[in-house]
Amino acid sequence: MDEYSGMECINLLTTFLIRLSRNHVSQNSLICSRSAQEYNHVVTMMINNIYDNCSLNDIASLCNISVSYIKLLFKQFSGVSPKAYYSKLRCNEAIRLLQSGLPACEVSNKLNFSSPNQFSVFFKKMTGLPPVQYQKQLSSNNLNA
Protein backbone atom coordinates (compact mmCIF):
# COMPACT_ATOMS: atom_id res chain seq x y z
CA MET A 1 0.00 0.00 0.00
CA ASP A 2 1.47 3.37 -0.98
CA GLU A 3 1.41 6.50 1.20
CA TYR A 4 -1.46 8.03 -0.80
CA SER A 5 -3.69 4.95 -0.30
CA GLY A 6 -2.81 4.73 3.36
CA MET A 7 -3.70 8.35 3.96
CA GLU A 8 -6.94 7.87 2.02
CA CYS A 9 -7.85 4.98 4.33
CA ILE A 10 -7.13 7.13 7.38
CA ASN A 11 -9.32 9.93 5.97
CA LEU A 12 -12.18 7.54 5.23
CA LEU A 13 -11.96 5.99 8.68
CA THR A 14 -11.88 9.41 10.33
CA THR A 15 -14.91 10.52 8.32
CA PHE A 16 -16.72 7.32 9.29
CA LEU A 17 -16.00 7.86 12.97
CA ILE A 18 -17.16 11.46 12.81
CA ARG A 19 -20.39 10.42 11.15
CA LEU A 20 -20.91 7.75 13.80
CA SER A 21 -20.45 10.30 16.55
CA ARG A 22 -22.95 12.60 14.85
CA ASN A 23 -25.48 9.76 14.88
CA HIS A 24 -25.64 9.98 18.68
CA VAL A 25 -23.33 7.05 19.30
CA SER A 26 -21.86 7.45 22.75
CA GLN A 27 -18.69 9.47 22.39
CA ASN A 28 -17.21 7.58 25.33
CA SER A 29 -17.14 4.40 23.27
CA LEU A 30 -15.33 6.16 20.42
CA ILE A 31 -13.13 8.68 22.17
CA CYS A 32 -11.52 8.46 25.59
CA SER A 33 -9.09 11.30 26.11
CA ARG A 34 -9.69 15.03 25.95
CA SER A 35 -6.96 15.40 23.33
CA ALA A 36 -8.69 12.76 21.17
CA GLN A 37 -11.92 14.73 21.47
CA GLU A 38 -10.11 17.91 20.47
CA TYR A 39 -8.49 16.15 17.51
CA ASN A 40 -11.91 14.88 16.44
CA HIS A 41 -13.29 18.42 16.74
CA VAL A 42 -10.49 19.84 14.54
CA VAL A 43 -11.07 17.14 11.90
CA THR A 44 -14.81 17.84 12.02
CA MET A 45 -14.14 21.55 11.46
CA MET A 46 -11.88 20.70 8.52
CA ILE A 47 -14.62 18.54 6.98
CA ASN A 48 -17.33 21.12 7.67
CA ASN A 49 -15.20 23.83 6.04
CA ILE A 50 -13.81 21.79 3.16
CA TYR A 51 -15.24 24.23 0.60
CA ASP A 52 -13.81 27.30 2.30
CA ASN A 53 -10.09 26.69 1.68
CA CYS A 54 -9.30 27.57 5.29
CA SER A 55 -5.82 28.26 6.55
CA LEU A 56 -4.55 26.52 9.65
CA ASN A 57 -5.06 29.82 11.50
CA ASP A 58 -8.72 29.80 10.37
CA ILE A 59 -9.22 26.23 11.63
CA ALA A 60 -7.52 27.08 14.94
CA SER A 61 -9.79 30.09 15.35
CA LEU A 62 -12.90 28.02 14.60
CA CYS A 63 -11.80 25.47 17.22
CA ASN A 64 -10.70 28.05 19.79
CA ILE A 65 -7.28 26.43 20.13
CA SER A 66 -3.79 27.40 19.02
CA VAL A 67 -2.09 26.42 15.79
CA SER A 68 0.76 24.85 17.74
CA TYR A 69 -1.70 22.68 19.68
CA ILE A 70 -3.37 21.54 16.45
CA LYS A 71 0.06 20.56 15.13
CA LEU A 72 0.68 18.58 18.32
CA LEU A 73 -2.69 16.82 18.02
CA PHE A 74 -2.02 15.83 14.43
CA LYS A 75 1.43 14.57 15.27
CA GLN A 76 -0.10 12.43 18.02
CA PHE A 77 -3.16 11.10 16.18
CA SER A 78 -2.51 11.15 12.44
CA GLY A 79 1.22 11.25 11.88
CA VAL A 80 0.83 13.93 9.21
CA SER A 81 0.69 17.70 9.40
CA PRO A 82 -2.71 19.38 9.67
CA LYS A 83 -2.08 21.10 6.34
CA ALA A 84 -1.36 17.79 4.62
CA TYR A 85 -4.44 16.25 6.21
CA TYR A 86 -6.71 19.13 5.14
CA SER A 87 -5.21 19.05 1.63
CA LYS A 88 -5.93 15.32 1.42
CA LEU A 89 -9.53 15.87 2.53
CA ARG A 90 -9.92 18.57 -0.13
CA CYS A 91 -8.30 16.35 -2.75
CA ASN A 92 -10.67 13.48 -1.88
CA GLU A 93 -13.61 15.88 -2.26
CA ALA A 94 -12.22 17.09 -5.60
CA ILE A 95 -11.95 13.48 -6.76
CA ARG A 96 -15.53 12.81 -5.68
CA LEU A 97 -16.78 15.90 -7.52
CA LEU A 98 -14.79 15.05 -10.67
CA GLN A 99 -16.12 11.48 -10.56
CA SER A 100 -19.65 12.89 -10.38
CA GLY A 101 -19.00 14.57 -13.74
CA LEU A 102 -18.52 18.13 -12.56
CA PRO A 103 -16.08 20.00 -14.84
CA ALA A 104 -12.69 20.84 -13.35
CA CYS A 105 -13.34 24.59 -13.45
CA GLU A 106 -16.54 24.13 -11.42
CA VAL A 107 -14.73 21.91 -8.93
CA SER A 108 -12.13 24.65 -8.63
CA ASN A 109 -14.83 27.23 -7.90
CA LYS A 110 -16.74 24.97 -5.53
CA LEU A 111 -13.59 24.26 -3.50
CA ASN A 112 -12.80 27.98 -3.48
CA PHE A 113 -9.44 27.89 -5.25
CA SER A 114 -8.23 31.28 -6.42
CA SER A 115 -8.09 30.04 -10.03
CA PRO A 116 -8.59 26.89 -12.09
CA ASN A 117 -4.83 26.86 -12.67
CA GLN A 118 -4.15 26.82 -8.92
CA PHE A 119 -6.60 23.92 -8.56
CA SER A 120 -4.92 22.06 -11.42
CA VAL A 121 -1.47 22.47 -9.83
CA PHE A 122 -2.85 21.33 -6.44
CA PHE A 123 -4.63 18.33 -7.93
CA LYS A 124 -1.62 17.24 -9.97
CA LYS A 125 0.63 17.54 -6.93
CA MET A 126 -1.76 15.38 -4.89
CA THR A 127 -2.65 12.74 -7.50
CA GLY A 128 0.01 12.90 -10.19
CA LEU A 129 -2.52 13.87 -12.86
CA PRO A 130 -4.12 17.18 -13.83
CA PRO A 131 -7.90 17.14 -13.21
CA VAL A 132 -8.83 17.13 -16.90
CA GLN A 133 -6.56 14.15 -17.56
CA TYR A 134 -7.97 12.43 -14.47
CA GLN A 135 -11.50 12.82 -15.86
CA LYS A 136 -10.41 11.55 -19.29
CA GLN A 137 -8.89 8.52 -17.62
CA LEU A 138 -12.17 7.97 -15.73
CA SER A 139 -14.12 8.18 -18.99
CA SER A 140 -11.86 5.72 -20.79
CA ASN A 141 -12.02 3.32 -17.83
CA ASN A 142 -15.82 3.52 -17.87
CA LEU A 143 -15.88 2.83 -21.61
CA ASN A 144 -13.58 -0.18 -21.21
CA ALA A 145 -15.57 -1.61 -18.31
Side-chain angles (χ1 to χ4, degrees), residues 81-125:
S81 72
K83 182 178 178 180
Y85 192 91
Y86 188 60
S87 291
K88 182 64 180 144
L89 288 173
R90 288 172 50 79
C91 183
N92 286 343
E93 183 63 8
I95 288 170
R96 188 188 70 75
L97 293 170
L98 290 169
Q99 287 173 341
S100 75
L102 209 60
C105 62
E106 287 186 39
V107 173
S108 171
N109 288 336
K110 191 169 182 91
L111 289 172
N112 206 15
F113 281 87
S114 61
S115 70
N117 186 54
Q118 184 196 26
F119 170 64
S120 183
V121 168
F122 165 82
F123 193 84
K124 185 173 182 179
K125 179 180 176 189

mmCIF file of all heavy atoms in Angstrom, residues 81-125:
data_model
loop_
_atom_site.group_PDB
_atom_site.id
_atom_site.type_symbol
_atom_site.label_atom_id
_atom_site.label_comp_id
_atom_site.label_asym_id
_atom_site.label_seq_id
_atom_site.Cartn_x
_atom_site.Cartn_y
_atom_site.Cartn_z
ATOM 1 N N SER A 81 0.973 16.326 9.005
ATOM 2 C CA SER A 81 0.689 17.702 9.398
ATOM 3 C C SER A 81 -0.787 18.023 9.165
ATOM 4 O O SER A 81 -1.434 17.416 8.309
ATOM 5 C CB SER A 81 1.559 18.677 8.605
ATOM 6 O OG SER A 81 1.111 18.745 7.267
ATOM 7 N N PRO A 82 -1.321 18.983 9.907
ATOM 8 C CA PRO A 82 -2.711 19.381 9.671
ATOM 9 C C PRO A 82 -2.940 19.891 8.249
ATOM 10 O O PRO A 82 -3.976 19.624 7.647
ATOM 11 C CB PRO A 82 -2.967 20.491 10.694
ATOM 12 C CG PRO A 82 -1.795 20.535 11.588
ATOM 13 C CD PRO A 82 -0.714 19.712 11.021
ATOM 14 N N LYS A 83 -1.952 20.598 7.705
ATOM 15 C CA LYS A 83 -2.083 21.102 6.341
ATOM 16 C C LYS A 83 -2.176 19.955 5.343
ATOM 17 O O LYS A 83 -3.021 19.968 4.437
ATOM 18 C CB LYS A 83 -0.907 22.009 5.997
ATOM 19 C CG LYS A 83 -1.011 22.609 4.614
ATOM 20 C CD LYS A 83 0.134 23.534 4.315
ATOM 21 C CE LYS A 83 -0.018 24.057 2.883
ATOM 22 N NZ LYS A 83 1.039 24.962 2.506
ATOM 23 N N ALA A 84 -1.321 18.945 5.511
ATOM 24 C CA ALA A 84 -1.357 17.786 4.618
ATOM 25 C C ALA A 84 -2.684 17.047 4.752
ATOM 26 O O ALA A 84 -3.263 16.593 3.758
ATOM 27 C CB ALA A 84 -0.191 16.850 4.904
ATOM 28 N N TYR A 85 -3.175 16.940 5.973
ATOM 29 C CA TYR A 85 -4.437 16.254 6.213
ATOM 30 C C TYR A 85 -5.595 16.994 5.544
ATOM 31 O O TYR A 85 -6.427 16.396 4.856
ATOM 32 C CB TYR A 85 -4.672 16.151 7.727
ATOM 33 C CG TYR A 85 -5.782 15.212 8.107
ATOM 34 C CD1 TYR A 85 -5.519 13.875 8.372
ATOM 35 C CD2 TYR A 85 -7.095 15.658 8.199
ATOM 36 C CE1 TYR A 85 -6.540 13.007 8.724
ATOM 37 C CE2 TYR A 85 -8.118 14.804 8.549
ATOM 38 C CZ TYR A 85 -7.835 13.481 8.816
ATOM 39 O OH TYR A 85 -8.848 12.621 9.150
ATOM 40 N N TYR A 86 -5.643 18.311 5.736
ATOM 41 C CA TYR A 86 -6.707 19.129 5.139
ATOM 42 C C TYR A 86 -6.610 19.089 3.610
ATOM 43 O O TYR A 86 -7.625 18.976 2.920
ATOM 44 C CB TYR A 86 -6.606 20.559 5.674
ATOM 45 C CG TYR A 86 -7.752 21.462 5.286
ATOM 46 C CD1 TYR A 86 -9.061 21.173 5.638
ATOM 47 C CD2 TYR A 86 -7.508 22.649 4.588
ATOM 48 C CE1 TYR A 86 -10.102 22.031 5.300
ATOM 49 C CE2 TYR A 86 -8.547 23.509 4.255
ATOM 50 C CZ TYR A 86 -9.836 23.193 4.607
ATOM 51 O OH TYR A 86 -10.881 24.034 4.274
ATOM 52 N N SER A 87 -5.399 19.134 3.092
ATOM 53 C CA SER A 87 -5.212 19.048 1.632
ATOM 54 C C SER A 87 -5.726 17.719 1.111
ATOM 55 O O SER A 87 -6.367 17.656 0.059
ATOM 56 C CB SER A 87 -3.736 19.213 1.266
ATOM 57 O OG SER A 87 -3.311 20.527 1.515
ATOM 58 N N LYS A 88 -5.466 16.646 1.849
ATOM 59 C CA LYS A 88 -5.934 15.324 1.423
ATOM 60 C C LYS A 88 -7.458 15.257 1.451
ATOM 61 O O LYS A 88 -8.079 14.695 0.542
ATOM 62 C CB LYS A 88 -5.316 14.258 2.320
ATOM 63 C CG LYS A 88 -5.703 12.873 1.946
ATOM 64 C CD LYS A 88 -5.183 12.515 0.573
ATOM 65 C CE LYS A 88 -5.600 11.101 0.239
ATOM 66 N NZ LYS A 88 -5.927 10.933 -1.152
ATOM 67 N N LEU A 89 -8.061 15.830 2.489
ATOM 68 C CA LEU A 89 -9.526 15.873 2.532
ATOM 69 C C LEU A 89 -10.081 16.622 1.323
ATOM 70 O O LEU A 89 -11.047 16.179 0.686
ATOM 71 C CB LEU A 89 -10.004 16.562 3.819
ATOM 72 C CG LEU A 89 -9.856 15.808 5.125
ATOM 73 C CD1 LEU A 89 -10.230 16.709 6.305
ATOM 74 C CD2 LEU A 89 -10.706 14.548 5.136
ATOM 75 N N ARG A 90 -9.473 17.770 1.010
ATOM 76 C CA ARG A 90 -9.923 18.575 -0.133
ATOM 77 C C ARG A 90 -9.692 17.835 -1.448
ATOM 78 O O ARG A 90 -10.520 17.898 -2.361
ATOM 79 C CB ARG A 90 -9.245 19.942 -0.130
ATOM 80 C CG ARG A 90 -9.795 20.828 0.986
ATOM 81 C CD ARG A 90 -9.046 22.129 1.193
ATOM 82 N NE ARG A 90 -8.826 22.915 -0.005
ATOM 83 C CZ ARG A 90 -9.732 23.706 -0.591
ATOM 84 N NH1 ARG A 90 -10.936 23.805 -0.076
ATOM 85 N NH2 ARG A 90 -9.420 24.403 -1.661
ATOM 86 N N CYS A 91 -8.582 17.120 -1.539
ATOM 87 C CA CYS A 91 -8.304 16.345 -2.748
ATOM 88 C C CYS A 91 -9.337 15.228 -2.913
ATOM 89 O O CYS A 91 -9.840 14.995 -4.013
ATOM 90 C CB CYS A 91 -6.889 15.772 -2.701
ATOM 91 S SG CYS A 91 -6.449 14.869 -4.197
ATOM 92 N N ASN A 92 -9.655 14.539 -1.815
ATOM 93 C CA ASN A 92 -10.673 13.485 -1.880
ATOM 94 C C ASN A 92 -12.022 14.050 -2.315
ATOM 95 O O ASN A 92 -12.752 13.413 -3.082
ATOM 96 C CB ASN A 92 -10.811 12.781 -0.532
ATOM 97 C CG ASN A 92 -9.656 11.858 -0.238
ATOM 98 O OD1 ASN A 92 -8.899 11.485 -1.123
ATOM 99 N ND2 ASN A 92 -9.501 11.487 1.015
ATOM 100 N N GLU A 93 -12.354 15.245 -1.845
ATOM 101 C CA GLU A 93 -13.611 15.878 -2.260
ATOM 102 C C GLU A 93 -13.547 16.271 -3.736
ATOM 103 O O GLU A 93 -14.514 16.098 -4.478
ATOM 104 C CB GLU A 93 -13.917 17.097 -1.382
ATOM 105 C CG GLU A 93 -15.230 17.764 -1.692
ATOM 106 C CD GLU A 93 -16.460 16.898 -1.453
ATOM 107 O OE1 GLU A 93 -16.349 15.787 -0.892
ATOM 108 O OE2 GLU A 93 -17.558 17.345 -1.840
ATOM 109 N N ALA A 94 -12.396 16.758 -4.176
ATOM 110 C CA ALA A 94 -12.223 17.092 -5.597
ATOM 111 C C ALA A 94 -12.397 15.837 -6.458
ATOM 112 O O ALA A 94 -13.075 15.875 -7.494
ATOM 113 C CB ALA A 94 -10.848 17.708 -5.841
ATOM 114 N N ILE A 95 -11.813 14.746 -6.028
ATOM 115 C CA ILE A 95 -11.952 13.481 -6.762
ATOM 116 C C ILE A 95 -13.420 13.075 -6.827
ATOM 117 O O ILE A 95 -13.924 12.699 -7.885
ATOM 118 C CB ILE A 95 -11.088 12.375 -6.111
ATOM 119 C CG1 ILE A 95 -9.611 12.651 -6.396
ATOM 120 C CG2 ILE A 95 -11.502 10.985 -6.597
ATOM 121 C CD1 ILE A 95 -8.652 11.777 -5.614
ATOM 122 N N ARG A 96 -14.114 13.169 -5.706
ATOM 123 C CA ARG A 96 -15.531 12.805 -5.680
ATOM 124 C C ARG A 96 -16.335 13.681 -6.645
ATOM 125 O O ARG A 96 -17.169 13.176 -7.398
ATOM 126 C CB ARG A 96 -16.079 12.946 -4.252
ATOM 127 C CG ARG A 96 -17.493 12.397 -4.077
ATOM 128 C CD ARG A 96 -18.061 12.722 -2.705
ATOM 129 N NE ARG A 96 -18.347 14.135 -2.533
ATOM 130 C CZ ARG A 96 -19.399 14.767 -3.076
ATOM 131 N NH1 ARG A 96 -20.237 14.116 -3.858
ATOM 132 N NH2 ARG A 96 -19.592 16.057 -2.860
ATOM 133 N N LEU A 97 -16.055 14.981 -6.635
ATOM 134 C CA LEU A 97 -16.780 15.897 -7.525
ATOM 135 C C LEU A 97 -16.444 15.631 -8.994
ATOM 136 O O LEU A 97 -17.335 15.668 -9.856
ATOM 137 C CB LEU A 97 -16.462 17.346 -7.155
ATOM 138 C CG LEU A 97 -16.978 17.798 -5.785
ATOM 139 C CD1 LEU A 97 -16.395 19.156 -5.411
ATOM 140 C CD2 LEU A 97 -18.494 17.839 -5.763
ATOM 141 N N LEU A 98 -15.177 15.363 -9.287
ATOM 142 C CA LEU A 98 -14.786 15.046 -10.666
ATOM 143 C C LEU A 98 -15.430 13.744 -11.119
ATOM 144 O O LEU A 98 -15.881 13.629 -12.261
ATOM 145 C CB LEU A 98 -13.263 14.967 -10.791
ATOM 146 C CG LEU A 98 -12.514 16.294 -10.657
ATOM 147 C CD1 LEU A 98 -11.011 16.047 -10.518
ATOM 148 C CD2 LEU A 98 -12.808 17.215 -11.835
ATOM 149 N N GLN A 99 -15.490 12.762 -10.231
ATOM 150 C CA GLN A 99 -16.117 11.485 -10.564
ATOM 151 C C GLN A 99 -17.610 11.637 -10.805
ATOM 152 O O GLN A 99 -18.199 10.876 -11.558
ATOM 153 C CB GLN A 99 -15.870 10.451 -9.456
ATOM 154 C CG GLN A 99 -14.461 9.947 -9.415
ATOM 155 C CD GLN A 99 -14.179 9.046 -8.223
ATOM 156 O OE1 GLN A 99 -14.905 9.058 -7.226
ATOM 157 N NE2 GLN A 99 -13.106 8.279 -8.316
ATOM 158 N N SER A 100 -18.215 12.649 -10.172
ATOM 159 C CA SER A 100 -19.645 12.889 -10.383
ATOM 160 C C SER A 100 -19.918 13.568 -11.728
ATOM 161 O O SER A 100 -21.065 13.751 -12.100
ATOM 162 C CB SER A 100 -20.218 13.735 -9.241
ATOM 163 O OG SER A 100 -19.827 15.086 -9.375
ATOM 164 N N GLY A 101 -18.845 13.962 -12.428
ATOM 165 C CA GLY A 101 -18.997 14.568 -13.745
ATOM 166 C C GLY A 101 -18.890 16.082 -13.757
ATOM 167 O O GLY A 101 -19.017 16.708 -14.815
ATOM 168 N N LEU A 102 -18.666 16.679 -12.622
ATOM 169 C CA LEU A 102 -18.516 18.134 -12.559
ATOM 170 C C LEU A 102 -17.235 18.547 -13.284
ATOM 171 O O LEU A 102 -16.191 17.931 -13.086
ATOM 172 C CB LEU A 102 -18.444 18.566 -11.092
ATOM 173 C CG LEU A 102 -18.946 19.946 -10.717
ATOM 174 C CD1 LEU A 102 -20.420 20.121 -11.062
ATOM 175 C CD2 LEU A 102 -18.748 20.164 -9.235
ATOM 176 N N PRO A 103 -17.289 19.546 -14.151
ATOM 177 C CA PRO A 103 -16.083 20.004 -14.843
ATOM 178 C C PRO A 103 -15.045 20.541 -13.855
ATOM 179 O O PRO A 103 -15.396 21.070 -12.794
ATOM 180 C CB PRO A 103 -16.582 21.127 -15.756
ATOM 181 C CG PRO A 103 -18.057 20.957 -15.846
ATOM 182 C CD PRO A 103 -18.486 20.274 -14.588
ATOM 183 N N ALA A 104 -13.788 20.431 -14.229
ATOM 184 C CA ALA A 104 -12.688 20.838 -13.353
ATOM 185 C C ALA A 104 -12.807 22.311 -12.923
ATOM 186 O O ALA A 104 -12.535 22.637 -11.764
ATOM 187 C CB ALA A 104 -11.348 20.588 -14.030
ATOM 188 N N CYS A 105 -13.233 23.177 -13.828
ATOM 189 C CA CYS A 105 -13.340 24.595 -13.451
ATOM 190 C C CYS A 105 -14.426 24.801 -12.396
ATOM 191 O O CYS A 105 -14.284 25.654 -11.512
ATOM 192 C CB CYS A 105 -13.564 25.479 -14.670
ATOM 193 S SG CYS A 105 -15.068 25.150 -15.577
ATOM 194 N N GLU A 106 -15.495 24.026 -12.444
ATOM 195 C CA GLU A 106 -16.544 24.132 -11.424
ATOM 196 C C GLU A 106 -16.079 23.554 -10.092
ATOM 197 O O GLU A 106 -16.420 24.081 -9.029
ATOM 198 C CB GLU A 106 -17.827 23.445 -11.886
ATOM 199 C CG GLU A 106 -18.554 24.218 -12.966
ATOM 200 C CD GLU A 106 -19.890 23.603 -13.322
ATOM 201 O OE1 GLU A 106 -20.607 23.127 -12.403
ATOM 202 O OE2 GLU A 106 -20.221 23.587 -14.519
ATOM 203 N N VAL A 107 -15.296 22.472 -10.160
ATOM 204 C CA VAL A 107 -14.726 21.909 -8.934
ATOM 205 C C VAL A 107 -13.811 22.943 -8.292
ATOM 206 O O VAL A 107 -13.847 23.164 -7.082
ATOM 207 C CB VAL A 107 -13.969 20.593 -9.221
ATOM 208 C CG1 VAL A 107 -13.237 20.098 -7.974
ATOM 209 C CG2 VAL A 107 -14.920 19.524 -9.750
ATOM 210 N N SER A 108 -13.015 23.599 -9.112
ATOM 211 C CA SER A 108 -12.127 24.652 -8.629
ATOM 212 C C SER A 108 -12.915 25.744 -7.914
ATOM 213 O O SER A 108 -12.543 26.172 -6.819
ATOM 214 C CB SER A 108 -11.342 25.250 -9.809
ATOM 215 O OG SER A 108 -10.633 26.384 -9.409
ATOM 216 N N ASN A 109 -13.992 26.195 -8.513
ATOM 217 C CA ASN A 109 -14.833 27.230 -7.904
ATOM 218 C C ASN A 109 -15.495 26.732 -6.628
ATOM 219 O O ASN A 109 -15.521 27.440 -5.616
ATOM 220 C CB ASN A 109 -15.900 27.713 -8.879
ATOM 221 C CG ASN A 109 -15.325 28.553 -9.997
ATOM 222 O OD1 ASN A 109 -14.266 29.153 -9.854
ATOM 223 N ND2 ASN A 109 -16.018 28.579 -11.120
ATOM 224 N N LYS A 110 -16.033 25.532 -6.679
ATOM 225 C CA LYS A 110 -16.744 24.973 -5.530
ATOM 226 C C LYS A 110 -15.814 24.825 -4.326
ATOM 227 O O LYS A 110 -16.222 25.075 -3.194
ATOM 228 C CB LYS A 110 -17.352 23.623 -5.909
ATOM 229 C CG LYS A 110 -18.311 23.073 -4.890
ATOM 230 C CD LYS A 110 -19.067 21.892 -5.475
ATOM 231 C CE LYS A 110 -20.056 21.349 -4.495
ATOM 232 N NZ LYS A 110 -21.369 21.948 -4.596
ATOM 233 N N LEU A 111 -14.557 24.434 -4.577
ATOM 234 C CA LEU A 111 -13.587 24.255 -3.499
ATOM 235 C C LEU A 111 -12.844 25.548 -3.168
ATOM 236 O O LEU A 111 -11.915 25.551 -2.387
ATOM 237 C CB LEU A 111 -12.606 23.142 -3.842
ATOM 238 C CG LEU A 111 -13.198 21.730 -3.803
ATOM 239 C CD1 LEU A 111 -12.219 20.716 -4.352
ATOM 240 C CD2 LEU A 111 -13.627 21.360 -2.392
ATOM 241 N N ASN A 112 -13.283 26.639 -3.790
ATOM 242 C CA ASN A 112 -12.803 27.979 -3.476
ATOM 243 C C ASN A 112 -11.303 28.174 -3.732
ATOM 244 O O ASN A 112 -10.617 28.831 -2.959
ATOM 245 C CB ASN A 112 -13.158 28.331 -2.027
ATOM 246 C CG ASN A 112 -13.287 29.811 -1.804
ATOM 247 O OD1 ASN A 112 -13.390 30.582 -2.744
ATOM 248 N ND2 ASN A 112 -13.267 30.216 -0.558
ATOM 249 N N PHE A 113 -10.810 27.603 -4.830
ATOM 250 C CA PHE A 113 -9.439 27.892 -5.246
ATOM 251 C C PHE A 113 -9.430 29.259 -5.914
ATOM 252 O O PHE A 113 -10.432 29.688 -6.479
ATOM 253 C CB PHE A 113 -8.923 26.812 -6.206
ATOM 254 C CG PHE A 113 -8.488 25.567 -5.506
ATOM 255 C CD1 PHE A 113 -9.393 24.553 -5.219
ATOM 256 C CD2 PHE A 113 -7.170 25.391 -5.120
ATOM 257 C CE1 PHE A 113 -8.997 23.406 -4.561
ATOM 258 C CE2 PHE A 113 -6.758 24.250 -4.455
ATOM 259 C CZ PHE A 113 -7.673 23.255 -4.177
ATOM 260 N N SER A 114 -8.288 29.926 -5.865
ATOM 261 C CA SER A 114 -8.230 31.278 -6.425
ATOM 262 C C SER A 114 -8.338 31.270 -7.945
ATOM 263 O O SER A 114 -8.743 32.264 -8.528
ATOM 264 C CB SER A 114 -6.949 31.997 -5.982
ATOM 265 O OG SER A 114 -5.819 31.312 -6.444
ATOM 266 N N SER A 115 -7.973 30.153 -8.575
ATOM 267 C CA SER A 115 -8.089 30.042 -10.033
ATOM 268 C C SER A 115 -8.114 28.567 -10.423
ATOM 269 O O SER A 115 -7.637 27.712 -9.669
ATOM 270 C CB SER A 115 -6.905 30.723 -10.718
ATOM 271 O OG SER A 115 -5.722 29.980 -10.504
ATOM 272 N N PRO A 116 -8.644 28.264 -11.605
ATOM 273 C CA PRO A 116 -8.590 26.886 -12.087
ATOM 274 C C PRO A 116 -7.156 26.375 -12.212
ATOM 275 O O PRO A 116 -6.897 25.200 -11.970
ATOM 276 C CB PRO A 116 -9.282 26.954 -13.455
ATOM 277 C CG PRO A 116 -10.199 28.120 -13.342
ATOM 278 C CD PRO A 116 -9.463 29.118 -12.485
ATOM 279 N N ASN A 117 -6.231 27.274 -12.557
ATOM 280 C CA ASN A 117 -4.835 26.863 -12.669
ATOM 281 C C ASN A 117 -4.277 26.437 -11.305
ATOM 282 O O ASN A 117 -3.572 25.437 -11.202
ATOM 283 C CB ASN A 117 -3.988 27.985 -13.260
ATOM 284 C CG ASN A 117 -2.577 27.542 -13.510
ATOM 285 O OD1 ASN A 117 -2.338 26.549 -14.188
ATOM 286 N ND2 ASN A 117 -1.619 28.260 -12.942
ATOM 287 N N GLN A 118 -4.599 27.195 -10.260
ATOM 288 C CA GLN A 118 -4.145 26.820 -8.916
ATOM 289 C C GLN A 118 -4.714 25.455 -8.518
ATOM 290 O O GLN A 118 -4.019 24.630 -7.939
ATOM 291 C CB GLN A 118 -4.548 27.873 -7.884
ATOM 292 C CG GLN A 118 -4.009 27.545 -6.489
ATOM 293 C CD GLN A 118 -4.682 28.325 -5.387
ATOM 294 O OE1 GLN A 118 -5.828 28.751 -5.512
ATOM 295 N NE2 GLN A 118 -3.974 28.504 -4.292
ATOM 296 N N PHE A 119 -5.983 25.216 -8.843
ATOM 297 C CA PHE A 119 -6.596 23.922 -8.564
ATOM 298 C C PHE A 119 -5.882 22.814 -9.326
ATOM 299 O O PHE A 119 -5.588 21.752 -8.786
ATOM 300 C CB PHE A 119 -8.086 23.933 -8.912
ATOM 301 C CG PHE A 119 -8.712 22.565 -8.872
ATOM 302 C CD1 PHE A 119 -8.783 21.856 -7.685
ATOM 303 C CD2 PHE A 119 -9.203 21.984 -10.032
ATOM 304 C CE1 PHE A 119 -9.347 20.584 -7.655
ATOM 305 C CE2 PHE A 119 -9.772 20.726 -10.008
ATOM 306 C CZ PHE A 119 -9.846 20.022 -8.813
ATOM 307 N N SER A 120 -5.593 23.061 -10.595
ATOM 308 C CA SER A 120 -4.921 22.062 -11.416
ATOM 309 C C SER A 120 -3.548 21.702 -10.846
ATOM 310 O O SER A 120 -3.175 20.527 -10.777
ATOM 311 C CB SER A 120 -4.789 22.564 -12.854
ATOM 312 O OG SER A 120 -4.214 21.575 -13.666
ATOM 313 N N VAL A 121 -2.796 22.706 -10.425
ATOM 314 C CA VAL A 121 -1.471 22.471 -9.827
ATOM 315 C C VAL A 121 -1.621 21.663 -8.533
ATOM 316 O O VAL A 121 -0.889 20.695 -8.298
ATOM 317 C CB VAL A 121 -0.733 23.811 -9.569
ATOM 318 C CG1 VAL A 121 0.498 23.621 -8.708
ATOM 319 C CG2 VAL A 121 -0.379 24.470 -10.896
ATOM 320 N N PHE A 122 -2.579 22.044 -7.687
ATOM 321 C CA PHE A 122 -2.850 21.333 -6.437
ATOM 322 C C PHE A 122 -3.211 19.872 -6.725
ATOM 323 O O PHE A 122 -2.660 18.952 -6.128
ATOM 324 C CB PHE A 122 -3.991 22.031 -5.689
ATOM 325 C CG PHE A 122 -4.602 21.216 -4.583
ATOM 326 C CD1 PHE A 122 -4.007 21.160 -3.331
ATOM 327 C CD2 PHE A 122 -5.783 20.518 -4.793
ATOM 328 C CE1 PHE A 122 -4.581 20.404 -2.306
ATOM 329 C CE2 PHE A 122 -6.351 19.764 -3.777
ATOM 330 C CZ PHE A 122 -5.751 19.708 -2.535
ATOM 331 N N PHE A 123 -4.143 19.671 -7.643
ATOM 332 C CA PHE A 123 -4.632 18.325 -7.933
ATOM 333 C C PHE A 123 -3.514 17.448 -8.496
ATOM 334 O O PHE A 123 -3.369 16.294 -8.097
ATOM 335 C CB PHE A 123 -5.811 18.401 -8.917
ATOM 336 C CG PHE A 123 -6.561 17.109 -9.033
ATOM 337 C CD1 PHE A 123 -7.562 16.793 -8.119
ATOM 338 C CD2 PHE A 123 -6.278 16.200 -10.046
ATOM 339 C CE1 PHE A 123 -8.264 15.596 -8.221
ATOM 340 C CE2 PHE A 123 -6.968 15.010 -10.152
ATOM 341 C CZ PHE A 123 -7.961 14.705 -9.238
ATOM 342 N N LYS A 124 -2.723 18.002 -9.397
ATOM 343 C CA LYS A 124 -1.621 17.239 -9.969
ATOM 344 C C LYS A 124 -0.592 16.882 -8.899
ATOM 345 O O LYS A 124 -0.052 15.772 -8.890
ATOM 346 C CB LYS A 124 -0.951 17.998 -11.118
ATOM 347 C CG LYS A 124 0.128 17.175 -11.800
ATOM 348 C CD LYS A 124 0.677 17.847 -13.022
ATOM 349 C CE LYS A 124 1.725 16.929 -13.667
ATOM 350 N NZ LYS A 124 2.282 17.520 -14.858
ATOM 351 N N LYS A 125 -0.322 17.806 -8.012
ATOM 352 C CA LYS A 125 0.630 17.538 -6.925
ATOM 353 C C LYS A 125 0.119 16.404 -6.030
ATOM 354 O O LYS A 125 0.884 15.562 -5.580
ATOM 355 C CB LYS A 125 0.845 18.808 -6.095
ATOM 356 C CG LYS A 125 1.788 18.631 -4.933
ATOM 357 C CD LYS A 125 1.938 19.931 -4.155
ATOM 358 C CE LYS A 125 2.806 19.717 -2.920
ATOM 359 N NZ LYS A 125 2.804 20.885 -2.054
#
